[in-house]
């Protein structure tokens, strides 16, 4: 089943992408949630026109994402966490904490655009990926430190 995505769907594609999905996933999740439309003749024309009109806006959005990535640069963040004697974390470090640490530095990144390369389980240095735009990805380094 071919559908056009109306919004970014993590692990599937970006807005206005033509993707092939299993019929059940499309009928039972993507279409009812308003995340996609069927890729029929009419919708292909509509999406093509939308893409054409949004082309100049896309350059600005990509530029904004690139400037955000440049602003983050090689910054290393410190994320405090409760830690046991062996250095193991109680609970877990979340993308919300990482987003808040970036916000404290004056950089707004939605927590849904962040993902950990490996789950932080103890004190140390880790990396996270920021999916700022379909063409702009950035690695963020952070240290988990004891509170």
């Amino acid at each position: 089943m071919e559908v056009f995505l109306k919004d970014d769907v993590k692990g599937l594609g970006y807005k206005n992408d033509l993707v092939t999905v299993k019929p059940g996933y499309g009928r039972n999740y993507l279409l009812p949630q308003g995340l996609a439309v069927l890729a029929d003749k009419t919708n292909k024309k509509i999406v093509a026109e939308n893409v054409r009109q949004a082309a100049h806006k896309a350059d600005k959005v990509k530029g904004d994402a690139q400037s955000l990535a440049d602003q983050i640069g090689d910054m290393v963040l410190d994320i405090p966490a409760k830690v046991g004697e062996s250095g193991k974390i109680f609970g877990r470090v979340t993308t919300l904490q990482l987003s808040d640490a970036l916000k404290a530095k004056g950089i707004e990144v939605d927590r849904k655009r962040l993902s950990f390369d490996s789950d932080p389980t103890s004190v140390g240095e880790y990396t996270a990926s920021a999916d700022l735009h379909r063409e702009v990805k950035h690695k963020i380094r952070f240290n988990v430190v004891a509170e």
Side-chain angles (χ1 to χ4, degrees), residues 27 42 70 131:
R27 269 194 320 271
T42 306
D70 294 340
D131 187 8

Side-chain angles (χ1 to χ4, degrees), residues 7-72:
D7 202 4
D8 296 349
V9 178
K10 189 172 183 175
L12 186 59
Y14 298 95
K15 184 176 182 176
N16 295 328
D17 281 353
L18 176 65
V19 295
T20 302
V21 296
K22 292 188 177 185
Y25 182 54
R27 269 194 320 271
N28 297 326
Y29 179 69
L30 294 175
L31 296 175
Q33 295 290 326
L35 297 173
V37 293
L38 283 174
D40 59 3
K41 191 173 169 182
T42 306
N43 286 335
K44 285 182 182 181
K45 288 181 182 177
I46 292 170
V47 169
E49 181 63 22
N50 289 344
V51 168
R52 190 184 65 76
Q53 289 180 0
H56 69 280
K57 289 181 186 176
D59 291 338
K60 181 184 181 309
V61 171
K62 182 182 175 190
D64 291 345
Q66 187 61 49
S67 68
L68 194 61
D70 294 340
Q71 196 175 3
I72 294 171

Side-chain angles (χ1 to χ4, degrees), residues 3-140:
V3 295
F4 283 108
L5 296 178
K6 291 171 66 177
D7 202 4
D8 296 349
V9 178
K10 189 172 183 175
L12 186 59
Y14 298 95
K15 184 176 182 176
N16 295 328
D17 281 353
L18 176 65
V19 295
T20 302
V21 296
K22 292 188 177 185
Y25 182 54
R27 269 194 320 271
N28 297 326
Y29 179 69
L30 294 175
L31 296 175
Q33 295 290 326
L35 297 173
V37 293
L38 283 174
D40 59 3
K41 191 173 169 182
T42 306
N43 286 335
K44 285 182 182 181
K45 288 181 182 177
I46 292 170
V47 169
E49 181 63 22
N50 289 344
V51 168
R52 190 184 65 76
Q53 289 180 0
H56 69 280
K57 289 181 186 176
D59 291 338
K60 181 184 181 309
V61 171
K62 182 182 175 190
D64 291 345
Q66 187 61 49
S67 68
L68 194 61
D70 294 340
Q71 196 175 3
I72 294 171
D74 293 334
M75 183 185 305
V76 179
L77 302 170
D78 288 331
I79 309 260
K82 292 189 179 191
V83 178
E85 290 180 20
S86 64
K88 193 167 177 165
I89 297 173
F90 293 132
R92 65 185 318 167
V93 175
T94 64
T95 55
L96 181 61
Q97 290 172 299
L98 187 58
S99 175
D100 289 343
L102 284 168
K103 194 180 290 183
K105 299 279 187 180
I107 301 169
E108 291 280 334
V109 177
D110 186 20
R111 68 181 178 87
K112 294 176 185 170
R113 297 202 172 268
L114 300 172
S115 62
F116 295 123
D117 295 342
S118 63
D119 284 334
T121 56
S122 61
V123 173
E125 186 170 317
Y126 296 92
T127 59
S129 298
D131 187 8
L132 303 173
H133 184 266
R134 69 172 39 185
E135 297 173 13
V136 180
K137 316 277 189 265
H138 191 72
K139 296 285 186 187
I140 301 171

